[in-house]
């Protein structure tokens, strides 16, 4: 039986500003298994980043607060820990990679010293052993482990190289959980593939669990085992990659998948978009938060929040459309057409390791 590394239960996170309380995360439940990758997807403002920053309270606690819920990491509830207690876990057992690696790297410090820091602080290595291990990590992430690289500053590397350095730093302590928040968005497509390939390769070697936050469903197809779809601070659908891409049941998920460009999309073709805008979480709407933007909304959607329906042991959907009293609904034709021609690796056809293995 595969163990749960992380188990989040009924999590609520709010930010208190002059205008009132922003209910950024509302009653969220999800888990991450040992060695798996969970992708969290959704529009900007859906709560993806907040829910993961809440795991180790990486937000301004002067305005942000975990109002309710448990964050069980290896059975230990992180939600009740203070900053000092969490500092012993951050970087040692749980770490994050952000979109812009320069926000994680100290521009005034040589990269070798930055990789050595967690080894000295968390692993109690002496400077010589820490340097040797740092050299090994540079090699592991595909960078030259020369003295020149070791003694270079972040600005002397490309964006993709800097992201590799950040990965080397977070891997220094053999993490249990890596949270990657849009780590490839700022990179060109070729470098994206290299970084995704690197993350998958390292995950196999050290069995690290990964939470991967992204709005790019092509990336999801390449790296994830399971997917959680967020909207208005809630998780509205979860399932395996195959279930989400080929058997999704929530109208919002249909909208996300329908709006993806594919290889048949012409340059002058108008892309499908989801009408309307996400709700204001200062005043969350009653019922199903997506009902105001959905062509499939029922009368009850505007009055009562839907329960979570189980489609399979791994597939759950929060929508009244799954109620047994509601006639079966077909997804939109645009989604059905895309689904028929949508391989799981549709956007990035193959990772570099697969291309190399094929001799291309």
């Amino acid at each position: 039986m595969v163990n749960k590394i992380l188990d989040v239960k009924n999590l609520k996170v709010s930010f208190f500003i002059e205008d009132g309380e922003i209910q950024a995360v509302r009653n969220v439940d999800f888990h991450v298994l040992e060695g798996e990758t969970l992708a969290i997807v959704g529009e900007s403002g859906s709560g993806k980043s907040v829910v993961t920053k809440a795991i180790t309270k990486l937000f301004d606690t002067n305005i942000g607060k975990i109002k309710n819920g448990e964050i069980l990491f290896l059975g230990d509830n992180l939600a009740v820990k203070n900053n000092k207690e969490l500092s012993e876990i951050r970087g040692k057992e749980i770490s994050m990679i952000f979109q812009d690696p320069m926000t994680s790297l100290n521009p005034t410090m040589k990269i070798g010293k930055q990789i050595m820091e967690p080894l000295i602080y968390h692993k109690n290595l002496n400077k010589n052993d820490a340097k040797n291990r740092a050299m090994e990590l540079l090699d592991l992430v595909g960078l030259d482990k020369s003295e020149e690289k070791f003694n270079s500053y972040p600005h002397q590397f490309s964006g993709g190289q800097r992201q590799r350095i950040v990965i080397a730093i977070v891997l220094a302590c053999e993490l249990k959980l890596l949270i990657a928040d849009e780590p490839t968005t700022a990179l060109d497509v070729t470098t994206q593939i290299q970084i995704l390939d690197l993350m998958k390769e390292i995950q196999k070697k050290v069995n690290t669990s990964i939470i991967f936050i992204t709005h790019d469903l092509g990336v999801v197809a390449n790296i994830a085992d399971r997917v959680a779809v967020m909207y208005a601070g809630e998780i509205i659908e979860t399932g395996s990659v195959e279930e989400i891409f080929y058997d999704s049941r929530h109208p919002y998920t249909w909208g996300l998948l329908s709006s993806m460009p594919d290889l048949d999309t012409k340059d002058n073709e108008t892309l499908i978009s989801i009408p309307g805008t996400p709700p204001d979480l200062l005043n969350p709407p009653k019922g199903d938060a997506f009902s105001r933007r959905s062509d499939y909304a029922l009368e009850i959607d505007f009055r009562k929040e839907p329960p979570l329906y189980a489609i399979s042991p791994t597939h759950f959907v929060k929508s009244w459309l799954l109620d047994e009293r509601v006639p079966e609904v077909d997804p939109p034709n645009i989604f059905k057409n895309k689904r028929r021609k949508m391989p799981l690796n549709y956007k990035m056809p193959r990772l570099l390791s697969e291309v190399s293995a094929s001799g291309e």
Side-chain angles (χ1 to χ4, degrees):
M1 182 177 179
V2 181
N3 296 322
K4 289 181 181 178
I5 289 291
L6 185 74
D7 195 6
V8 176
K9 299 180 179 180
N10 198 32
L11 182 65
K12 294 182 182 179
V13 180
S14 289
F15 292 93
F16 296 87
I17 60 174
E18 276 189 25
D19 293 336
E21 177 186 353
I22 300 173
Q23 299 177 44
V25 175
R26 306 186 295 146
N27 302 311
V28 161
D29 295 90
F30 69 93
H31 67 271
V32 184
L33 300 176
E34 183 180 356
E36 85 163 341
T37 298
L38 172 71
I40 301 180
V41 303
E43 293 169 289
S44 296
S46 61
K48 306 186 302 294
S49 293
V50 175
V51 78
T52 50
K53 286 180 180 177
I55 293 171
T56 55
K57 294 183 184 174
L58 283 179
F59 52 70
D60 186 348
T61 53
N62 292 314
I63 61 170
K65 180 181 179 182
I66 296 176
K67 292 189 66 179
N68 188 58
E70 294 180 313
I71 303 170
L72 301 177
F73 175 65
L74 298 174
D76 198 10
N77 188 7
L78 303 185
V80 299
K81 290 188 178 296
N82 59 38
N83 192 59
K84 182 179 180 181
E85 291 169 325
L86 289 171
S87 67
E88 294 298 317
I89 296 171
R90 298 182 192 126
K92 181 179 181 181
E93 297 182 273
I94 302 174
S95 196
M96 290 191 73
I97 300 174
F98 297 99
Q99 179 175 331
D100 181 3
M102 282 301 281
T103 62
S104 303
L105 296 172
N106 185 335
T108 67
M109 187 186 295
K110 295 174 181 179
I111 64 106
K113 188 174 180 181
Q114 295 189 58
I115 300 172
M116 287 172 61
E117 270 194 332
L119 293 165
I120 294 170
Y121 180 75
H122 289 301
K123 305 293 281 186
N124 296 317
L125 297 186
N126 60 46
K127 288 186 177 181
N128 187 57
D129 289 343
K131 180 177 180 179
N132 290 336
R133 178 57 180 154
M135 286 286 202
E136 291 173 3
L137 288 167
L138 283 175
D139 189 46
L140 181 64
V141 298
L143 292 174
D144 182 2
K145 57 178 181 179
S146 65
E147 285 287 340
E148 180 184 357
K149 285 282 193 299
F150 189 87
N151 290 308
S152 296
Y153 291 91
H155 72 272
Q156 296 175 279
F157 296 87
S158 67
Q161 288 175 322
R162 286 195 289 265
Q163 200 63 288
R164 289 172 183 267
I165 293 164
V166 172
I167 292 173
I169 293 170
V170 302
L171 287 174
C173 293
E174 300 174 359
L175 297 170
K176 297 288 191 302
L177 177 64
L178 170 62
I179 301 169
D181 190 350
E182 301 273 10
T184 61
T185 299
L187 306 175
D188 62 80
V189 174
T190 302
T191 308
Q192 282 186 38
I193 298 172
Q194 293 173 341
I195 296 298
L196 291 175
D197 199 23
L198 172 63
M199 291 180 68
K200 289 180 73 173
E201 181 182 344
I202 290 174
Q203 184 182 36
K204 288 179 181 177
K205 289 181 179 178
V206 299
N207 203 35
T208 298
S209 300
I210 297 175
I211 299 176
F212 199 99
I213 304 168
T214 185
H215 64 274
D216 189 335
L217 289 165
V219 170
V220 171
N222 273 324
I223 197 166
D225 300 301
R226 287 189 303 116
V227 183
V229 182
M230 285 197 75
Y231 182 77
E234 301 176 300
I235 290 180
I236 51 90
E237 184 162 11
T238 58
S240 67
V241 173
E242 290 81 3
E243 287 168 333
I244 296 300
F245 273 73
Y246 294 106
D247 192 30
S248 52
R249 303 295 185 91
H250 198 288
Y252 179 63
T253 312
W254 292 341
L256 288 179
L257 292 167
S258 297
S259 64
M260 291 170 24
D262 56 41
L263 295 177
D264 295 328
T265 302
K266 297 178 175 58
D267 289 342
N268 61 351
E269 186 177 338
T270 301
L271 295 174
I272 300 297
S273 62
I274 301 172
T277 57
D280 181 2
L281 294 183
L282 276 168
N283 298 289
K286 290 183 179 179
D288 185 336
F290 187 62
S291 59
R292 282 77 180 165
R293 303 174 70 187
S294 175
D295 293 333
Y296 297 86
L298 306 168
E299 182 183 345
I300 194 173
D301 281 317
F302 298 90
R303 296 187 287 105
K304 189 174 181 181
E305 186 176 338
L308 197 65
Y309 292 91
I311 309 300
S312 77
T314 56
H315 191 185
F316 300 89
V317 183
K318 194 174 185 179
S319 171
W320 284 114
L321 293 179
L322 278 300
D323 192 282
E324 61 183 10
R325 295 166 291 182
V326 177
E328 189 172 342
V329 174
D330 271 347
N333 287 330
I334 181 68
F335 169 70
K336 290 192 287 186
N337 291 336
K338 280 183 177 288
R339 180 174 60 186
R340 278 196 292 269
K341 59 186 179 181
M342 189 195 302
L344 285 180
N345 54 3
Y346 97 103
K347 184 165 185 185
M348 295 179 181
R350 281 174 290 181
L351 297 177
L352 290 187
S353 57
E354 295 164 334
V355 172
S356 298
S358 69
E360 297 179 12

